Amino acid sequence: MSSGKHLAKGSAKPVLPDDGVLRLYSMRFCPYAQRAHLVLNAKKVDYHTVFINLTEKPEWLVEVSPLLKVPALQVVAEKGQPSLIESLIIAEYLDEKYPQNPLLPKDALKRAQDKILLERFNGITNAFMKILLQNTGLDDFWTALDIFEQELIKRGTRFFGGDKPGFVDYMIWPWLERLPVIEYVLKDNYNFDEKRFPKVAQLITLLKEDEAVKGFYATPEQHQEFWRTRKAGNASYDLLA
Amino acid sequence: MSSGKHLAKGSAKPVLPDDGVLRLYSMRFCPYAQRAHLVLNAKKVDYHTVFINLTEKPEWLVEVSPLLKVPALQVVAEKGQPSLIESLIIAEYLDEKYPQNPLLPKDALKRAQDKILLERFNGITNAFMKILLQNTGLDDFWTALDIFEQELIKRGTRFFGGDKPGFVDYMIWPWLERLPVIEYVLKDNYNFDEKRFPKVAQLITLLKEDEAVKGFYATPEQHQEFWRTRKAGNASYDLLA
C-alpha cells in the first residue's frame, strides 16, 4: 500500500515487493480511479496503490500506463506484467477474475442492460465537468440523474444491484460522493431535491455505510478543498496522505 | 428479413411474425449497425432486420429504441421484449448468449485487452468522421491505425482473433470496408501505404473472403455513392434495396 503521497516528475519508480499482488496506479481524488478501488475493496482483493501526481507525471509512468492515464491496473502475476486501463474495463476484469461477491448480473441480458445504463451515466459525468469548469446550471445534471431515479423505481430495489451494491452502484458512486463539489461551486444555486430523487437519496445514505465505500471515502470538505486547490492550479494531491 | 427498404416518418410499424426471433433495427450504411449484423452472421443466428431512415425517423422508433439510435436489438423472446443499444454492448451480449463460434477470448485478461484495443479504435472512428466532414488530412487516421498494425505484429496472427476472425476483427471491419469513402473524399491525397500497414492490408484481403463479412458487404462504389448522396442532403438509404 501507498503512503498516500502522490509521486511526481523526478520521483524514483517505487520498489514494490515481488509478491504477485495487483498494482493500482491511481490518484486519490480521481472518480474513475475510485471505481477500481471500490471493486477491489468490495471483493477484498489485496493490492498495492501507487498514487500519481497528474499535474507533473513521473517519467516512469509510461512504462505501466502507456497513455499516462489513471487508473491503470498492473497484473504483475501475468506474463509480461501487463497493465489494463479504462475504469469500466478494469472493473469488469476484476469482477470476472475474482468471482467472490459478484457485481455484474450473471444473466447476459441483465449484464447488457447494466452496461447501457452506465453508458447513459456519461450524461452525468459530462454535466458534472461542465458545471465545475464552465459554471453551467444544474438542469442537464438533474435530467441525467432522473434516468437513474426512474431505473431504481423500475427495479424496485434499494441498490441497482438488488439488495446489495452491485456493479452500477459502485461505478456511479464516485460522482454521488462528489455532489458537495457542485454545491461548493454553485453555492446557493445548488438544489438537490429529495422529493425528485427519493431513491437516489436513499441510495446515497445506504452506500455511505457500505464497507467498500467507507474504505475509500473522502468527506465533502475534503472534496471541496481538493477542488479549490485544483482550480487554483496547485492541486492538493496529498491532502489525505 | 427486411426488403432492404428503409422505413421513414409516416410509415406503419412493420408487422413481424410472432416467432421469438431477434429484431435488429439498423441502417444499411451505418458502420455501428454493421457490427451487429456481422456478429449475428458470424454466429449464424436468425434475425429480422428493420431498416430505418435516419433522416426522417419513423414515429414508432421510440418504442423499440428510446434514444432513436441504431443499432437497436430487440430481444422479443424475453419478458417485456426489451431492446439493447450501443453496438459493442449488443455484440458482447450476442457473443455471451450464443456461444457458438465464440468471438471474445475466454481469458478475462485477454478479453479486457481486446476491449482496451477497441477503445483505442475510437481514434480511427473520430479521424474518419473528421476527414469526411471537415476534409482534414489523413495523419491522425494513419497514426491511429499504426496501433492496430503493431498489435497484429505483436500477436503474430493473421486476425486479431487468431487464425479466424474474432471480436476485434468484426468490430473494426466496417471502417476498413469504408476506406474507399476516404479515397472518394480526399481523391489523390489518399495514400494507403501497404508498406506501413502490411498486416492490416492482409487482414482486409482475408476479411473480404469471410462469410459473415460477405453476408453484409457493400462495394467501394456503393459506399462512395451513399456518402455522395448523404453529403448532398438526400441520403440514398435504399441504394441496395
Side-chain angles (χ1 to χ4, degrees), chain A residues 67 75 78 82-86 89 92-93 96-97 107-109 111-113 115-116 119-120, chain B residues 67 75 78 82-86 89 92-93 96-97 106-109 111-113 115-116 119-120:
Chain A
L67 299 181
V75 191
E78 295 271 358
S83 288
L84 301 177
I85 53 171
E86 301 297 337
I89 295 173
E92 191 174 357
Y93 164 75
E96 286 185 18
K97 189 75 183 178
D107 176 66
L109 179 67
R111 289 168 77 89
Q113 287 171 324
K115 288 177 189 176
I116 292 166
E119 275 291 320
R120 302 197 71 177
Chain B
L67 300 182
V75 190
E78 296 272 357
S83 287
L84 302 176
I85 54 171
E86 301 297 338
I89 295 174
E92 191 174 358
Y93 164 76
E96 286 185 18
K97 190 75 183 177
K106 279 209 163 45
D107 176 66
L109 178 68
R111 288 168 78 88
Q113 288 171 324
K115 288 177 189 175
I116 293 167
E119 275 291 320
R120 302 197 70 178

Side-chain angles (χ1 to χ4, degrees), chain B residues 130-146:
Chain B
K130 268 181 121 171
I131 292 166
L132 265 53
L133 297 174
Q134 302 167 30
N135 255 38
T136 54
L138 272 158
D139 290 356
D140 287 351
F141 190 89
W142 299 140
T143 302
L145 196 59
D146 277 333

Side-chain angles (χ1 to χ4, degrees), chain A residues 12-52:
Chain A
K13 192 175 173 181
V15 180
L16 292 169
D18 185 18
D19 53 8
V21 167
L22 291 169
R23 298 175 185 176
L24 180 63
Y25 298 84
S26 174
M27 191 279 274
R28 182 59 190 81
F29 293 95
C30 170
Y32 297 96
Q34 188 173 358
R35 286 173 161 175
H37 289 279
L38 291 170
V39 174
L40 288 159
N41 289 356
K43 293 187 169 273
K44 300 189 165 59
V45 172
D46 198 18
Y47 66 104
H48 298 292
T49 302
V50 180
F51 282 122
I52 303 293

Side-chain angles (χ1 to χ4, degrees), chain A residues 142-213:
Chain A
W142 300 138
T143 302
L145 196 60
D146 278 333
I147 296 164
F148 289 79
E149 180 69 22
Q150 292 310 311
E151 184 67 23
L152 276 172
I153 293 168
K154 194 175 139 196
R155 295 191 182 194
T157 52
R158 298 186 305 164
F159 299 100
F160 287 99
D163 56 6
K164 67 170 191 65
F167 198 77
V168 172
D169 300 285
Y170 288 126
M171 294 305 101
I172 71 174
W173 170 253
W175 286 266
L176 300 179
E177 187 178 299
R178 283 162 182 74
L179 283 173
V181 181
I182 300 185
E183 189 171 6
Y184 171 80
V185 170
L186 295 183
K187 302 195 175 63
D188 288 349
N189 292 320
Y190 179 77
N191 55 343
F192 183 79
D193 182 354
E194 294 223 7
K195 288 197 190 107
R196 180 167 171 183
F197 301 110
K199 294 284 174 190
V200 170
Q202 184 191 38
L203 179 70
I204 291 173
T205 304
L206 291 168
L207 282 173
K208 270 186 192 157
E209 296 306 314
D210 178 73
E211 287 305 317
V213 166

Side-chain angles (χ1 to χ4, degrees), chain B residues 63-74:
Chain B
E63 297 167 27
V64 289
S65 182
L67 300 182
L68 307 180
K69 291 168 86 166
V70 299
L73 182 76
Q74 194 182 13

Side-chain angles (χ1 to χ4, degrees), chain B residues 166-178:
Chain B
F167 198 77
V168 172
D169 301 285
Y170 288 127
M171 294 304 102
I172 72 173
W173 170 253
W175 286 265
L176 299 178
E177 187 179 299
R178 283 163 182 75

